[in-house]
Amino acid sequence: IDLTLATPQQIKEIGAEINHLEKMLEVDKRSRSPKIQDEAEFRANIAAKKKLIEQHSPKPFRGKTKDIAAKRIKELDNFIKQEMPRAKDYYKPYPKNGADNDFERAVQQQMAFQTNPKIQKAIAERKNLIGRLEPNDPYIRNIENLRR
């Protein structure tokens, strides 16, 4: 399962690239001195970008699966909130005069959070599910909204 979904902005950018490449191909065909050396490779590049959009676009849920996904998102949110360092720890300013045990502890907490495979898997699953539930909201996937 590929859990990586493109944001609406990324889909829009790739779509604009596809349109640009297709227009280049049309103009080049009408030109007296074509610039595109390998048309098959150029078309393959366009096809690859279209496939990328198809594979990584969020597919909306239908029927009961939407409710199941919303329930799972709540479970994942609770798990992530419990594991994520609190905002007061995360946003500690860098100490001005040397070592600060609280600052070092905050850094270690965040590093442990970011490198724990179980947490990262939960975050990826949440981003996938919530991206499919709300595909047009580019900010919904941001886990900072969960920080206590």
Side-chain angles (χ1 to χ4, degrees), residues 10-24 42 45-46 49 52-53:
Q10 290 170 324
I11 293 170
K12 186 177 177 181
E13 288 173 4
I14 295 170
E17 286 178 34
I18 292 169
N19 289 339
H20 178 72
L21 292 173
E22 287 175 340
K23 285 179 185 174
M24 282 177 58
F42 200 83
N45 187 12
I46 293 171
K49 288 183 185 298
L52 186 76
I53 287 178

Side-chain angles (χ1 to χ4, degrees), residues 1-5 56 120-121 124-129:
I1 295 176
D2 184 10
L3 296 178
T4 308
L5 296 178
H56 296 280
Q120 295 308 308
K121 185 177 178 186
E125 182 181 357
R126 179 194 182 271
K127 285 182 176 185
N128 182 3
L129 293 173

Side-chain angles (χ1 to χ4, degrees), residues 85-141:
R86 294 180 179 272
K88 70 180 179 106
D89 293 330
Y90 182 72
Y91 293 107
K92 285 213 176 287
Y94 187 78
K96 291 184 173 122
N97 47 348
D100 179 5
N101 290 338
D102 288 341
F103 180 79
E104 290 298 322
R105 184 181 48 77
V107 169
Q108 294 303 320
Q109 280 180 327
Q110 187 62 25
M111 286 175 57
F113 175 76
Q114 289 178 343
T115 57
N116 185 324
K118 187 176 179 183
I119 294 169
Q120 295 308 308
K121 185 177 178 186
I123 291 170
E125 182 181 357
R126 179 194 182 271
K127 285 182 176 185
N128 182 3
L129 293 173
I130 208 158
R132 291 181 62 194
L133 205 57
E134 297 288 337
N136 295 322
D137 186 351
Y139 304 106
I140 195 97
R141 298 179 198 177

Side-chain angles (χ1 to χ4, degrees), residues 72-86:
R72 179 65 179 148
I73 289 168
K74 285 183 182 179
E75 292 170 3
L76 292 167
D77 285 354
N78 289 333
F79 171 70
I80 294 167
K81 281 180 190 177
Q82 294 305 314
E83 298 296 324
M84 184 181 270
R86 294 180 179 272

Side-chain angles (χ1 to χ4, degrees), residues 25-48:
L25 188 59
E26 287 177 28
V27 169
D28 197 60
K29 279 186 167 185
R30 291 185 299 221
S31 174
R32 291 179 190 217
S33 57
K35 306 270 188 276
I36 296 174
Q37 300 294 319
D38 188 353
E39 186 178 330
E41 183 180 335
F42 200 83
R43 288 188 184 279
N45 187 12
I46 293 171

